[in-house]
Amino acid sequence: MKNGRASLEALLFIHGEPLSYKKIQSVLGIENDELETIIKELQTDLESNDRGLQLVSDREKIQLATKPEFNSILESFMKEEISEDLTPASLEALSIIAYLGPISRARLEYLRGVNSIVILRSLMIRGLVERFSDPEHPSGFLYRGTFDLMKHLGIKEKGELPDYEKFQELLKVFDQPAAETEPAQ
Amino acid sequence: MKNGRASLEALLFIHGEPLSYKKIQSVLGIENDELETIIKELQTDLESNDRGLQLVSDREKIQLATKPEFNSILESFMKEEISEDLTPASLEALSIIAYLGPISRARLEYLRGVNSIVILRSLMIRGLVERFSDPEHPSGFLYRGTFDLMKHLGIKEKGELPDYEKFQELLKVFDQPAAETEPAQ
Amino acid sequence: MEYETRVGEFSGPLEKLLTLIEAEKMDINEVSLAKVTDDFLRYLETFKKGMTEDAEAIDADAERKFRVDLRILADFVSVASKLIFLKSKYLLPGLALTQEEEADIKDLEARLHIYQQLKPAIKLINQLWATSHHSFSRQYFIGKVAMPGQTTFYPGTNLDTEALTAAMHGIFDTIKTYDIETETIREKIVTLEEKISEVLGRIQKEGDMHFNNLSGEKSRGEMIVVFLAILHLAREQLVLLEQMDNFSDIMVKKK
């Protein structure tokens, strides 16, 4: 296969999780032997000191990951990222989820007027928000504040938040009936 | 810095989203000059046919992404959210922002001859356009295309848009002060 | 978003105007603008008709759609009024244009020239959008979202109920501003239908009358709308426009 290494790199890059040899073969349209060769080539490339990634694999699956020598620098980076104070945008998204949750991503974005994928992920990583399957639309997701968030805010349920009733009323005026559930990822 | 390229690769790989030059400098503990050099080195490495990745950049931020030529392999993997069609009005606004952004709402509306608040909102919800504070007028906002837009169009930076320089010339019209009025009465 | 469909169908007044001029293979200038004025107004009418249908539905969604349309209509009307001024130079010599109005027309010409240069960029993006190969990136900190039961909790130092309440107020303020902006536009537009029926009513009551009478003591802006309405009526051939000589009043006659 032409550009075998490059294709494999791109595929493992976006997948993020371990990917089975079988699946890779079917996506790239190659046989097992060829895949073995490509993996070896990629492995050799990655051994270079100019590369920050490595292949992690068992007999069935393979994954692209960072080299262990960068663990400490990356961990402190991530920790710093998620312990920073919430930005105005994050507070905005979190307040909508706290007051109006469980809420779909589409509805949240509609109220904010901005795409919120990354902010939602960051709020989830910080343990402030959690995602669960929408019982009414099994293929969709809803977001709500975590138990830890409520504890941190010192409340037992969202109704205790200041001006809770008022925002519910305001929302009725603005509410949008169109289908809102986020499709499954 | 030893292993500069490798560290940058690992950092961008873990973070996933566009990362600012400033942040990278502080994490890696390097100055701007050195970062520029490392980015250039990484860029050159990535040009090889054996690499499946590329750097997308707007001069302030940088992101690691797959090369567009692997689109056909990867598309089935990625549930794309933004490939829906653009309406004529969205297309018009998006084109002006892509070629002439960062641009104020007043200028966009001057060029389109139409109030654009709704279109801007919808482009922002789709994650194709983002709004930020105008550094020169702290109370004002500017709009620009997002990294997601560049990736969707398969370009590494906005200068790769066809005839980019030519359309930039059109900005000269704003050197005349009259061109700032809002269209709506 | 559902309610943006309508907005999307209309690129804008400049695009429409340019299309009309280019269809006639004319250059952008006063003469060509005056020439396509009627077509432009006709187009504006079809847009308006669609809006009235929407306005009859009373649910919130239709109401929102109607308001969005109003914003766009405002811009079409704004361009239309400039065209009317221009046309009136030829039709109503009594109505001399102020410097500002002359400047408005020059500005419209200038905008059309810029828009003409921009048009290829729109085509290019459209092409790229339809045919380009996409590049993909990784999710933010992929694989780092805490699993259920895992205890990660990073609230930062600025998170409390007050901060959340303040953020909520901010969101609803933004939404309110957004709505108020539309209301203002609505108030400023004197709707064509109202004017048309008003003019019709008066014609029926008083028989033929002079345009000057009809426009009475009204502000210039309103006078333009009246004129617009008359042009519309003339086109629909409900009334006949008669101008005896170049400098005289226009007669509005019942058919």
Side-chain angles (χ1 to χ4, degrees):
Chain A
M1 169 185 202
K2 216 178 113 253
N3 292 348
R5 261 177 279 181
S7 314
L8 181 61
E9 182 183 44
L11 180 60
L12 295 177
F13 173 82
I14 55 156
H15 188 58
E17 285 162 35
L19 197 57
S20 74
Y21 284 33
K22 267 196 187 154
K23 180 79 192 176
I24 300 173
Q25 284 171 42
S26 89
V27 174
L28 300 188
I30 54 175
E31 296 298 318
N32 190 47
D33 288 356
E34 194 177 354
L35 178 58
E36 298 275 4
T37 314
I38 293 172
I39 290 175
K40 274 207 194 91
E41 287 172 354
L42 183 55
Q43 229 146 13
T44 313
D45 285 353
L46 291 172
E47 277 163 19
S48 153
N49 281 337
D50 290 328
R51 297 301 307 268
L53 308 178
Q54 64 176 6
L55 285 174
V56 183
S57 66
D58 59 20
R59 308 243 153 211
E60 282 168 16
K61 289 181 170 182
I62 191 159
Q63 181 180 15
L64 204 52
T66 53
K67 284 183 180 165
E69 60 210 84
F70 301 110
N71 279 356
S72 71
I73 195 170
L74 294 177
E75 255 160 47
S76 63
F77 163 63
M78 183 173 152
K79 198 148 197 171
E80 196 187 303
E81 281 268 296
I82 62 174
S83 33
E84 272 171 10
D85 279 356
L86 292 168
T87 61
S90 306
L91 275 172
E92 198 178 273
L94 186 58
S95 71
I96 291 176
I97 294 168
Y99 274 91
L100 311 175
I103 188 170
S104 70
R105 196 187 100 207
R107 185 120 180 269
L108 170 77
E109 290 177 336
Y110 178 70
L111 288 169
R112 291 191 62 217
V114 192
N115 188 281
S116 304
I117 300 179
V118 178
I119 281 195
L120 277 171
R121 280 192 64 80
S122 136
L123 291 173
M124 285 195 284
I125 294 170
R126 298 177 71 136
L128 301 170
V129 164
E130 62 192 8
R131 189 175 85 161
F132 63 101
S133 286
D134 182 350
E136 281 171 33
H137 306 89
S139 62
F141 291 109
L142 294 175
Y143 296 84
R144 67 177 164 221
T146 57
F147 180 69
D148 284 338
L149 173 68
M150 305 297 252
K151 218 165 63 182
H152 179 81
L153 296 174
I155 56 173
K156 281 196 200 65
E157 48 145 6
K158 59 181 179 179
E160 293 172 39
L161 286 164
D163 295 335
Y164 178 77
E165 299 295 331
K166 188 177 138 188
F167 289 127
Q168 292 294 322
E169 279 304 306
L170 281 173
L171 190 69
K172 273 184 203 152
V173 181
F174 189 67
D175 222 347
Q176 201 217 19
E180 293 284 0
T181 334
E182 172 187 0
Q185 311 259 346
Chain B
M1 163 180 209
K2 215 181 111 248
N3 292 350
R5 261 176 279 181
S7 318
L8 180 60
E9 183 182 47
L11 185 59
L12 294 175
F13 178 86
I14 280 292
H15 188 255
E17 287 294 308
L19 198 56
S20 75
Y21 282 30
K22 266 194 190 155
K23 188 82 194 177
I24 300 173
Q25 286 171 43
S26 90
V27 175
L28 301 186
I30 55 175
E31 296 296 317
N32 188 48
D33 288 356
E34 193 175 355
L35 179 57
E36 300 269 5
T37 313
I38 293 173
I39 290 174
K40 273 203 198 98
E41 288 171 354
L42 183 54
Q43 241 151 4
T44 313
D45 287 353
L46 292 173
E47 278 165 18
S48 153
N49 283 336
D50 290 328
R51 298 300 307 269
L53 309 177
Q54 65 178 14
L55 287 174
V56 182
S57 140
D58 71 353
R59 277 159 217 276
E60 275 173 34
K61 289 182 174 174
I62 196 159
Q63 182 180 32
L64 205 50
T66 60
K67 285 183 182 167
E69 55 247 52
F70 301 108
N71 180 55
S72 55
I73 297 173
L74 305 178
E75 213 167 22
S76 58
F77 249 78
M78 306 301 289
K79 299 228 170 66
E80 263 243 87
E81 308 207 6
I82 52 179
S83 49
E84 292 168 56
D85 278 350
L86 292 169
T87 62
S90 301
L91 177 66
E92 182 182 283
L94 187 64
S95 307
I96 293 173
I97 295 169
Y99 274 99
L100 305 181
I103 189 168
S104 67
R105 187 181 141 197
R107 286 182 174 193
L108 174 71
E109 293 183 337
Y110 178 84
L111 292 172
R112 295 189 62 215
V114 98
N115 186 304
S116 302
I117 189 170
V118 176
I119 288 292
L120 280 170
R121 219 179 110 89
S122 124
L123 290 173
M124 284 196 290
I125 288 177
R126 288 177 77 172
L128 298 171
V129 163
E130 63 188 2
R131 192 180 84 159
F132 63 102
S133 287
D134 183 350
E136 283 169 34
H137 306 92
S139 60
F141 292 106
L142 295 175
Y143 297 83
R144 67 179 163 215
T146 59
F147 275 67
D148 282 347
L149 174 63
M150 289 196 275
K151 283 179 287 174
H152 191 80
L153 298 179
I155 56 173
K156 293 197 286 290
E157 48 162 344
K158 61 181 177 180
E160 286 183 359
L161 286 171
D163 293 332
Y164 180 76
E165 302 293 332
K166 188 181 104 191
F167 290 113
Q168 281 283 298
E169 292 286 306
L170 284 175
L171 283 173
K172 283 189 182 145
V173 66
F174 294 115
D175 296 340
Q176 300 148 16
E180 294 289 349
T181 20
E182 299 233 1
Q185 301 297 302
Chain C
M1 290 291 117
E2 174 70 24
Y3 73 100
E4 270 135 26
T5 326
R6 166 60 61 87
V7 190
E9 290 164 17
F10 298 86
S11 274
L14 296 183
E15 199 271 338
K16 187 66 207 171
L17 209 44
L18 190 61
T19 307
L20 291 174
I21 292 172
E22 285 175 345
E24 301 277 326
K25 298 197 169 32
M26 294 187 288
D27 291 332
I28 300 165
N29 53 41
E30 281 196 10
V31 178
S32 62
L33 281 174
K35 219 168 165 184
V36 299
T37 296
D38 285 357
D39 287 334
F40 187 81
L41 296 180
R42 201 170 301 134
Y43 178 76
L44 186 55
E45 268 309 296
T46 55
F47 182 79
K48 285 272 315 179
K49 277 205 187 100
M51 280 185 67
T52 351
E53 281 157 24
D54 285 348
E56 279 161 15
I58 9 175
D59 63 83
D61 208 39
E63 165 66 14
R64 201 156 28 235
K65 225 182 273 177
F66 180 72
R67 284 197 236 162
V68 167
D69 289 348
L70 262 181
R71 291 164 180 275
I72 296 171
L73 182 69
D75 297 305
F76 272 90
V77 169
S78 155
V79 169
S81 70
K82 285 173 193 165
L83 290 176
I84 301 291
F85 274 125
L86 177 63
K87 190 123 188 168
S88 68
K89 242 170 65 167
Y90 297 94
L91 286 176
L92 295 173
L95 189 96
L97 298 193
T98 64
Q99 262 186 334
E100 197 187 325
E101 287 151 6
E102 291 279 7
D104 267 359
I105 293 165
K106 284 276 161 257
D107 177 62
L108 184 58
E109 270 183 61
R111 284 176 182 222
L112 280 170
H113 279 293
I114 301 167
Y115 194 88
Q116 197 171 37
Q117 289 170 271
L118 260 178
K119 238 179 153 177
I122 299 168
K123 267 201 188 133
L124 287 169
I125 293 287
N126 195 24
Q127 234 165 17
L128 266 185
W129 185 270
T131 61
S132 69
H133 288 175
H134 315 315
S135 163
F136 302 99
S137 56
R138 286 160 63 88
Q139 280 187 319
Y140 180 67
F141 284 120
I142 194 166
K144 304 288 181 188
V145 174
M147 294 296 130
Q150 206 173 320
T151 49
T152 15
F153 188 63
Y154 296 94
T157 61
N158 59 343
L159 174 60
D160 51 29
T161 53
E162 282 79 34
L164 291 183
T165 312
M168 278 300 266
H169 278 291
I171 292 159
F172 280 101
D173 283 350
T174 311
I175 292 171
K176 229 185 278 166
T177 327
Y178 186 82
D179 280 355
I180 288 171
E181 210 185 307
T182 352
E183 277 311 311
T184 322
I185 294 170
R186 187 209 286 257
E187 282 160 21
K188 280 184 182 169
I189 299 177
V190 189
T191 65
L192 266 181
E193 272 87 6
E194 272 174 36
K195 281 293 159 189
I196 289 165
S197 58
E198 190 193 317
V199 171
L200 264 183
R202 274 201 259 168
I203 291 168
Q204 271 154 9
K205 219 158 124 197
E206 299 172 31
D208 301 355
M209 64 188 306
H210 287 177
F211 176 71
N212 280 352
N213 256 340
L214 209 59
S215 48
E217 292 296 299
K218 288 171 177 163
S219 74
R220 262 195 96 96
E222 267 186 283
M223 193 159 145
I224 290 306
V225 180
V226 173
F227 187 64
L228 191 77
I230 293 171
L231 277 187
H232 168 80
L233 292 176
R235 211 179 44 239
E236 300 287 308
Q237 302 198 314
L238 295 169
V239 294
L240 287 174
L241 280 190
E242 228 173 75
Q243 193 176 20
M244 301 313 283
D245 60 68
N246 278 344
F247 293 96
S248 69
D249 224 358
I250 288 185
M251 292 289 291
V252 181
K253 282 189 174 171
K254 233 189 327 185
K255 220 185 152 188

